[in-house]
Amino acid sequence: MGSHLCDRLLKNGADVLCVDNFYSGTRDNIIHLIGSPHFELVRHDITFPLYVEVDEIYNLACPASPIHYQWDPVQTTKTSVHGAINMLGLAKRTKAKIFQASTSEVYGDPEVHPQEESYWGRVNPIGIRSCYDEGKRCAETLFFDYHRQHNLEIKVARIFNTFGPRMHPNDGRVVSNFIVQALQGKNITIYGDGSQTRSFCYVDDLIEGFVRLMASKNDVTGPINLGNPDEFTIKQLGEIVIQMVGGKSKLVFETLPQDDPKQRKPDISLAKTTLDWEPQIKLKDGLEKTIEHFRKIVLK
Ligand code: UDP
Ligand code: UDP
């Protein structure tokens, strides 16, 4: 997402300072921007303080794929919590507007469907997903306390499952896994019986939502859901990917990970009314562009 956001901000005429520790991303995603006079890259981990001059901050830091964020769970919580404190401190000193990439994971395994922003969520505080979920929940708390206590202008987006080109082939998330497996003629690994649902948003739609939220009036703080409300079962997604990629892959069923949410779909009424935003790109069109990306890197 970060590299797509950099592209978009540069296109809008901004000067971009991109801060990354490359924990889960790769430099290849921004290599085309290096050399642009309006783009600067800093290798830095935001769990440490950062003193720079900026007027808008987008905080997207944190591995978001379960396999990545569970690799070093303590670091995951630190990235969300210490990272948020440092970025909020930076926003306070520079009087910058600050955007937080929060997540649908704050709703946990929800008993309300679709999820609207007023729902407080059902999150296990001690499970294997908690480092991510509770880290992101605490970051929201910090954003709202800096807003109330220090008058910071905050913009909190709750992002639902998103996909698109530049995902890492070993990212571990469902869309990239299925496409890579299909391209390699391997079996498609469905965790559980595949009846769990997700709603997938194409990255360009999401970035449009980010930019609109950042440009919204002062009193728009969020949290605001950003995602695509078209809901699919994981089994359906597997079938669609096989059909689009072709080949001989079959669906195989593996163990469902602990605390895996059974259903997820955003209620985006608030984004529609406040930002005049809704996704434009259908799942199949987004998958086509994503398959094209993976074809280039997986089959070379
Ligand atoms: N901070 C930062 N960059 C800045 C300003 C602050 O990284 O430009 C960090 C700083 O290290 C501090 C944190 O942000 O630990 C929170 O800052 P704040 O001013 O809210 O807290 P304080 O410094 O008063 O503890
Ligand atoms: N999943 C799957 N096979 C995979 C990867 C994921 O069936 O190879 C399932 C996973 O158990 C979850 C859903 O797909 O129910 C979405 O998983 P992902 O890791 O992409 O994101 P999540 O929404 O769980 O954070």
Side-chain angles (χ1 to χ4, degrees):
M1 278 178 205
S3 68
H4 291 276
L5 178 63
C6 290
D7 285 345
R8 174 62 191 270
L9 294 174
L10 286 165
K11 215 166 98 194
N12 286 4
D15 287 312
V16 175
L17 175 67
C18 168
V19 178
D20 202 334
N21 67 350
F22 298 110
Y23 181 82
S24 58
T26 152
R27 243 198 292 212
D28 291 342
N29 289 343
I30 40 114
I31 210 131
H32 61 288
L33 301 176
I34 290 171
S36 155
H38 297 284
F39 180 79
E40 221 179 315
L41 174 64
V42 179
R43 181 188 280 263
H44 176 79
D45 177 341
I46 62 155
T47 59
F48 297 99
L50 177 68
Y51 285 80
V52 288
E53 303 312 313
V54 287
D55 47 21
E56 286 182 355
I57 303 165
Y58 288 86
N59 181 27
L60 276 56
C62 198
S65 157
I67 56 163
H68 289 150
Y69 70 64
Q70 287 163 14
W71 182 256
D72 188 349
V74 172
Q75 189 59 28
T76 299
T77 304
K78 277 190 196 169
T79 302
S80 281
V81 177
H82 292 187
I85 291 173
N86 287 327
M87 290 306 99
L88 288 160
L90 173 63
K92 186 177 137 205
R93 183 181 59 78
T94 57
K95 301 190 169 45
K97 274 199 269 193
I98 181 164
F99 169 102
Q100 168 67 357
S102 190
T103 168
S104 56
E105 288 286 329
V106 302
Y107 302 123
D109 189 7
E111 354 36 2
V112 167
H113 194 76
Q115 294 77 52
E116 50 183 59
E117 292 84 351
S118 57
Y119 175 52
W120 289 357
R122 186 165 75 117
V123 174
N124 175 358
I126 57 167
I128 54 170
R129 292 178 88 102
S130 313
C131 59
Y132 185 74
D133 301 5
E134 297 289 19
K136 288 283 189 180
R137 286 171 67 96
C138 184
E140 286 199 8
T141 308
L142 285 161
F143 268 70
F144 279 84
D145 281 331
Y146 268 80
H147 171 65
R148 284 183 287 252
Q149 200 172 328
H150 300 298
N151 289 316
L152 251 61
E153 197 179 330
I154 60 162
K155 307 284 180 191
V156 177
R158 290 187 178 151
I159 301 166
F160 285 66
N161 295 64
T162 298
F163 71 100
R166 302 188 191 153
M167 287 180 90
H168 196 279
N170 300 327
D171 180 83
R173 270 176 290 187
V174 69
V175 174
S176 46
N177 272 11
F178 285 5
I179 293 176
V180 171
Q181 288 164 343
L183 286 170
Q184 294 176 334
K186 294 183 180 156
N187 287 332
I188 304 286
T189 53
I190 306 241
Y191 303 158
D193 63 5
S195 64
Q196 71 272 36
T197 70
R198 295 292 187 273
S199 312
F200 301 99
C201 186
Y202 187 66
V203 64
D204 289 0
D205 277 333
L206 191 81
I207 299 298
E208 179 64 34
F210 285 14
V211 170
R212 286 187 190 216
L213 178 55
M214 188 59 108
S216 61
K217 294 203 200 83
N218 286 7
D219 61 345
V220 179
T221 58
I224 189 159
N225 289 338
L226 294 179
N228 192 317
D230 290 345
E231 187 182 8
F232 296 86
T233 68
I234 294 304
K235 188 156 172 254
Q236 278 175 319
L237 178 73
E239 287 160 352
I240 294 170
V241 169
I242 293 179
Q243 184 219 330
M244 290 182 71
V245 174
K248 294 192 294 280
S249 303
K250 299 254 170 322
L251 303 181
V252 292
F253 296 86
E254 298 187 352
T255 323
L256 186 70
Q258 190 196 321
D259 294 341
D260 199 277
K262 277 182 266 318
Q263 49 180 7
R264 184 182 291 153
K265 165 190 163 117
D267 179 325
I268 57 163
S269 323
L270 187 63
K272 277 188 189 160
T273 51
T274 352
L275 309 177
D276 189 24
W277 175 88
E278 68 180 307
Q280 304 296 320
I281 298 161
K282 292 275 164 233
L283 178 66
K284 282 198 178 171
D285 297 331
L287 284 175
E288 216 161 274
K289 293 177 207 265
T290 313
I291 292 168
E292 209 174 290
H293 157 82
F294 280 117
R295 235 184 248 290
K296 278 186 236 145
I297 53 171
V298 175
L299 300 180
K300 77 174 174 200

